[in-house]
Amino acid sequence: KQAGSFNDLTFGYTIKSDKRNRRFMPTDGHIISFKQNLPIYSDTQSILNSFRYRTYHAFSENVVSAVKLYGAAINSIGDEDVRLSKRLHLGRKYLRGFESGKIGPKDGIDFIGGNYATALNLEAALPNLLPEATETDISIFMDVANLWHVDYSDNLGDSDKIRSSFGVATNMYTPIGPLSFVVAQNLSKADTDETQTFNFQIGTSF
């Protein structure tokens, strides 16, 4: 139905308030941001709204907590469905313990994304658990998220199924960049979701 090329010109803006004590590995403060994409000219017009909130607090020099909240919605203008390439997905940044982009509405064998997404991440960083010489940070986390609804059907995916997981994330800083290791166990999932107990990435950090 949505095969072929299409034209799209979008205006996007972000409003952000950053009250963290530092940008890298903060121990206090919060950051709030709102993002919106508005169609200027598009064959199929849609509006994206997203909200992010992150707050940090150091209980001691050995424990730093972080609470992260994310919500997003994309809605079409008029009778057209939101294009497949514009629907929302939840990656490892928001939901660990699952394959990136492989949760939520599924049509046949394809994960097609959803119109609505939300995620809550609870983390406790343990900066002094290992000796400083190892340049390794460890964090314990719990993620709760959901991705649901597509325009053309109400029967794709378990819209009321909350996905959740807990586990341990490790960042190791090396000359080639940060190495990220995640070991996670899902607590709840939909039957169609694809899980991932272990993940390793180069050049990213939590």
Side-chain angles (χ1 to χ4, degrees):
K1 181 181 178 181
Q2 296 188 348
S5 61
F6 70 101
N7 299 308
D8 184 42
L9 180 62
T10 302
F11 169 75
Y13 68 92
T14 300
I15 300 173
K16 181 183 294 185
S17 173
D18 192 345
K19 301 295 184 180
R20 296 172 296 176
N21 59 341
R22 57 177 182 250
R23 296 183 64 183
F24 181 69
M25 297 187 68
T27 59
D28 188 60
H30 66 269
I31 179 170
I32 304 173
S33 65
F34 171 78
K35 177 181 178 181
Q36 187 174 64
N37 288 346
L38 301 171
I40 297 177
Y41 172 79
S42 178
D43 295 337
T44 57
Q45 297 187 346
S46 59
I47 296 178
L48 169 69
N49 296 285
S50 67
F51 171 82
R52 290 180 175 87
Y53 172 76
R54 289 173 284 172
T55 183
Y56 304 87
H57 177 72
F59 290 99
S60 69
E61 62 180 11
N62 297 317
V63 180
V64 179
S65 69
V67 178
K68 304 175 183 180
L69 180 64
Y70 166 74
I74 185 163
N75 300 103
S76 62
I77 301 175
D79 298 329
E80 295 288 338
D81 297 333
V82 174
R83 290 198 66 87
L84 177 65
S85 58
K86 289 192 171 186
R87 290 198 197 109
L88 303 170
H89 293 271
L90 286 173
R92 298 182 185 94
K93 180 179 180 181
Y94 299 108
L95 184 60
R96 288 158 286 193
F98 292 79
E99 288 278 359
S100 180
K102 293 188 177 181
I103 72 162
K106 188 176 183 181
D107 195 343
I109 63 172
D110 299 313
F111 290 90
I112 57 174
N115 289 69
Y116 305 103
T118 185
L120 172 66
N121 309 111
L122 307 175
E123 297 182 4
L126 310 172
N128 299 317
L129 185 63
L130 297 178
E132 185 176 352
T134 64
E135 295 189 353
T136 300
D137 296 322
I138 294 179
S139 175
I140 300 171
F141 67 85
M142 179 176 180
D143 296 339
V144 181
N146 197 10
L147 178 69
W148 72 101
H149 187 69
V150 290
D151 307 86
Y152 66 88
S153 175
D154 294 326
N155 301 313
L156 298 176
D158 296 323
S159 61
D160 59 345
K161 189 67 174 181
I162 301 298
R163 285 80 173 175
S164 61
S165 65
F166 75 97
V168 177
T170 301
N171 276 344
M172 181 180 297
Y173 300 92
T174 71
I176 64 172
L179 305 181
S180 175
F181 301 87
V182 174
V183 178
Q185 174 62 48
N186 67 82
L187 298 173
S188 60
K189 68 182 189 70
D191 293 337
T192 56
D193 295 340
E194 295 190 12
T195 60
Q196 184 181 62
T197 303
F198 177 78
N199 177 255
F200 165 70
Q201 290 182 295
I202 300 177
T204 61
S205 60
F206 46 77

